[in-house]
Amino acid sequence: MPAHQHGMNYTPKVTALDGGTFRVDDMLFHMPGLWELQVDVDINDQSIFYTSKIALK
């Protein structure tokens, strides 16, 4: 949560599924406002970083 300079209070659980798909559970957005979802993936010694913003009311 960039405006408050912190993230979630809990660490989400990431589970690898078949075919290079992943499932993320236990994401707790504990307050309204602008959040950033950040994903960092290493594939074949190459790092890919993705950020998406989500506004919660």
Side-chain angles (χ1 to χ4, degrees), residues 2 9-11 13-15 18-19 21 24-27 31 34 39 41 46-48 51 54:
N9 290 338
Y10 301 97
T11 302
K13 179 182 174 187
V14 180
T15 305
D18 292 335
T21 303
V24 180
D25 291 298
D26 300 331
M27 294 181 69
M31 59 191 311
L34 183 65
V39 177
V41 179
Q46 187 175 31
S47 183
I48 299 170
T51 301
I54 181 171

Side-chain angles (χ1 to χ4, degrees), residues 37-56:
L37 300 176
Q38 299 177 347
V39 177
D40 189 6
V41 179
D42 292 322
I43 301 173
N44 299 327
D45 296 324
Q46 187 175 31
S47 183
I48 299 170
F49 185 76
Y50 176 77
T51 301
S52 180
K53 295 183 181 195
I54 181 171
L56 299 180

